[in-house]
Amino acid sequence: RLLELLLPIAGEATCHMATVMEPSGSSPRGRPSSGLPRPSNAMPRSRSRSSSLGKLGRSLTALAPKIRSTPPPRNPSEPWKVGGRYRMARGEPLWSSPSASAVRLGLLDRDDEVMIIYIAEDAAFMSARDGTQESCERARPSGVPVGLVVPTLTVTGAPVPPPGWMVLDGPLMPGKLEDSWELNARYCVQSAATIRQERALTSEWVDELEPGDEVITLELGFNREEGEAQRPRLRMKVSSNKGSVGWMSPETASGYKLLCPVNLLSSKVVEVHRKSLVGGRPSLLGDCNSPTGGGAISPGQRCSFRQDGKVPWEVNAQYRILERTSVRERLQATSRELFKLPAGCVVSVGEVQVAECGQFGLCPCALVTVADGPEAGRQGWIRCMGKDGRDQVDTRDQLEAEKVRARLEEERQQKEEEAQRQAARAREAEEKTRQTQELAERQAREREEREVEAKRRLQWCGLQACIAGCLQTRGSAMKEDKLKDKIPLND
């Protein structure tokens, strides 16, 4: 800023020097000279002062490009964001990886634009002194953020380099550009797109998005699972207004935007609403792929409430005011007005009722608490729709991303609990099967043991009978021998 103040002074000093050094017969701007002789003692002093001012002007003019080329320091409270577009502050090479064996892919010039698709905080990175790979050295301290970027625009008109790795602090100017992608944002679909199960472009199909659909960003990443087969691209986990959740690309590899980069949850939706009211018909706020940029495609004047339909505004939600609205003490339109709410502020809804609005029929009204702005914390009743049925309060919930995450987390926990229950049932069934098998085996062993015991007893009984028979036969033989001994031979 000091330089910008000194440059005009230096320019005036240079012009003053040229005026003083002109011949006495002429004067600047074509006016005739008075012809009066100048004092001899004043001439050297004027020339000396003018010469000093001229040197100061030339020095500041030569110093200006060097000072202007130095990027402003980045605010640590504003870190680099995945999905953000940034302008280059100086030339910087792109590398194939953050490792020491990386290969140079291309060179970015000053004022080129890049989009960050991944940030690595602790990566050993290479820096080049003269742009050649042979002169690369590890000159980046640990903890310096290194990012995988996709070049989106070159100021020289040269072909866009492929995606690559670079150091973020220093080469990039702080501050995201207008068409950056954000987390927890809501975007309008401009061209047909596919939602898939995972980040990979070859993962399972989930759903198709049509122009006019809206999605909420839940997570930002890139297709790292596909390795080198696919060119790195920004991938966005979204939840569509149809209820499908999955990963999609907000823009193609060539840079064509499938989503319009206008966050419909931001204050820009007020401008979208105002332009949609012109002529009472749908308005096009410009094609975001046109050379002039533009904005989002508005679906036109929104009339979300139907006399016999559901009220689109819900309790425990936050919405943005689209038009300057009166906040009243009670639900009735004749109650005392408390204050005015400007367009663009956010309110929290605590209660929703449908009231009779005379010739306009039913009108949804909400008890709101102002969430931001000078009236933050104040409460009152507002009308959610105008006299012609148009929305005065946006129907897009500011907390929807958090609610979707909570729902997905609850579903994940339910799936885990169900999986645990199924695993427990499987373990119980396996335990029953094991017990049944053990019982069958034990019964089979007992049956075998009984059969073996029966056979053993049968064999023992046979042996006993055989022994008894043998003993009986032996006894009979001994009796016969004794009888023979008692009978004389001559008899």
Side-chain angles (χ1 to χ4, degrees):
R1 293 179 179 175
L2 178 61
L3 179 63
E4 294 177 353
L5 295 174
L6 290 177
L7 282 177
I9 300 175
E12 293 178 1
T14 305
C15 295
H16 176 66
M17 181 187 68
T19 302
V20 172
M21 297 301 294
E22 284 179 352
S24 59
S26 62
S27 62
R29 299 183 184 178
R31 293 195 301 268
S33 175
S34 60
L36 296 175
R38 296 177 180 175
S40 58
N41 57 350
M43 184 68 68
R45 188 184 306 171
S46 299
R47 290 185 178 178
S48 176
R49 186 185 300 114
S50 301
S51 178
S52 301
L53 291 175
K55 289 180 180 179
L56 175 62
R58 288 192 297 270
S59 300
L60 291 175
T61 304
L63 184 62
K66 298 180 181 179
I67 297 180
R68 287 173 178 170
S69 62
T70 303
R74 183 172 65 93
N75 187 358
S77 62
E78 298 179 0
W80 307 110
K81 297 290 186 180
V82 174
R85 297 180 190 271
Y86 299 90
R87 184 170 286 110
M88 297 293 298
R90 66 166 188 258
E92 185 76 11
L94 287 175
W95 304 95
S96 58
S97 70
S99 64
S101 58
V103 178
R104 178 173 164 174
L105 302 177
L107 180 65
L108 293 171
D109 295 327
R110 181 183 176 185
D111 292 332
D112 287 354
E113 295 181 6
V114 297
M115 178 174 61
I116 302 176
I117 62 175
Y118 183 74
I119 297 177
E121 290 293 339
D122 296 324
F125 201 67
M126 303 165 59
S127 65
R129 280 176 275 182
D130 58 359
T132 60
Q133 186 180 358
E134 290 75 17
S135 64
C136 293
E137 59 179 3
R138 294 179 182 271
R140 301 295 180 184
S142 176
V144 173
V146 177
L148 178 60
V149 302
V150 177
T152 57
L153 178 65
T154 57
V155 293
T156 59
V160 178
W165 293 83
M166 63 174 289
V167 175
L168 303 181
D169 285 349
L172 293 183
M173 294 183 182
K176 293 189 297 184
L177 301 179
E178 284 295 326
D179 54 349
S180 298
W181 304 107
E182 301 177 12
L183 198 62
N184 301 328
R186 190 176 185 121
Y187 297 109
C188 181
V189 178
Q190 171 173 273
S191 184
T194 302
I195 296 180
R196 298 191 176 274
Q197 188 74 29
E198 303 294 340
R199 290 186 179 94
L201 299 175
T202 56
S203 60
E204 296 182 3
W205 177 91
V206 175
D207 196 5
E208 292 290 334
L209 296 176
E210 301 296 334
D213 292 342
E214 294 182 1
V215 296
I216 296 176
T217 57
L218 305 175
E219 188 178 345
L220 296 174
F222 75 104
N223 51 330
R224 73 176 83 182
E225 291 84 355
E226 300 183 38
E228 298 181 358
Q230 292 285 345
R231 185 175 180 178
R233 291 170 59 182
L234 180 67
R235 299 286 285 171
M236 182 184 291
K237 186 176 183 180
V238 300
S239 173
S240 68
N241 53 354
K242 296 184 289 187
S244 56
V245 178
W247 290 84
M248 65 167 295
S249 298
E251 54 188 66
T252 63
S254 60
Y256 183 86
K257 296 180 180 62
L258 304 177
L259 303 178
C260 290
V262 174
N263 184 7
L264 297 177
L265 295 181
S266 66
S267 58
K268 295 180 181 179
V269 72
V270 177
E271 185 66 21
V272 174
H273 174 72
R274 288 173 180 170
K275 293 188 178 182
S276 68
L277 298 179
V278 177
R281 60 182 182 180
S283 65
L284 298 178
L285 301 185
D287 184 3
C288 28
N289 290 300
S290 64
T292 58
I297 300 179
S298 170
Q301 182 172 315
R302 293 168 63 95
C303 301
S304 303
F305 177 72
R306 298 292 183 269
Q307 294 294 323
D308 55 349
K310 178 183 176 182
V311 178
W313 297 276
E314 300 177 353
V315 179
N316 298 327
Q318 288 187 354
Y319 301 100
R320 192 173 295 277
I321 302 297
L322 299 177
E323 301 178 11
R324 183 176 173 86
T325 306
S326 298
V327 181
R328 300 190 178 275
E329 187 177 9
R330 291 187 300 275
L331 178 65
Q332 292 76 14
T334 57
S335 62
R336 183 171 64 92
E337 180 180 310
L338 301 178
F339 56 94
K340 292 279 190 180
L341 269 182
C345 67
V346 178
V347 296
S348 300
V349 177
E351 184 181 351
V352 176
Q353 293 187 17
V354 179
E356 186 69 32
C357 297
Q359 59 180 349
F360 307 110
L362 300 177
C363 176
C365 301
L367 176 62
V368 300
T369 302
V370 184
D372 60 1
E375 305 292 343
R378 301 188 66 179
Q379 290 185 343
W381 287 88
I382 62 172
R383 288 189 177 184
C384 298
M385 55 177 281
K387 296 180 180 180
D388 57 353
R390 70 179 185 276
D391 296 347
Q392 291 187 156
V393 180
D394 194 18
T395 57
R396 303 176 180 94
D397 187 4
Q398 300 285 322
L399 306 177
E400 188 169 357
E402 298 178 6
K403 294 179 180 179
V404 171
R405 288 194 186 92
R407 176 174 59 83
L408 294 178
E409 181 65 20
E410 184 179 357
E411 292 177 357
R412 184 187 66 81
Q413 292 180 357
Q414 290 178 355
K415 288 181 180 179
E416 289 182 356
E417 293 174 357
E418 181 64 24
Q420 292 176 358
R421 287 193 293 267
Q422 290 180 357
R425 287 195 292 266
R427 287 194 297 270
E428 291 178 0
E430 184 179 354
E431 182 66 20
K432 288 183 179 180
T433 302
R434 185 183 63 80
Q435 293 177 356
T436 303
Q437 186 177 359
E438 289 180 354
L439 178 61
E441 291 177 355
R442 186 170 62 252
Q443 291 176 352
R445 285 196 304 268
E446 291 176 354
R447 189 165 49 250
E448 276 184 25
E449 290 176 356
R450 288 195 298 267
E451 291 177 357
V452 170
E453 183 66 22
K455 288 180 181 180
R456 186 182 296 112
R457 288 182 179 180
L458 183 61
Q459 290 175 357
W460 176 247
C461 291
L463 181 61
Q464 285 182 342
C466 182
I467 293 173
C470 291
L471 291 176
Q472 186 177 3
T473 304
R474 179 67 177 172
S476 300
M478 290 178 65
K479 288 181 179 180
E480 291 179 356
D481 290 342
K482 288 181 179 180
L483 289 175
K484 287 180 180 180
D485 291 340
K486 292 179 178 181
I487 300 174
L489 293 175
N490 52 8
D491 291 339

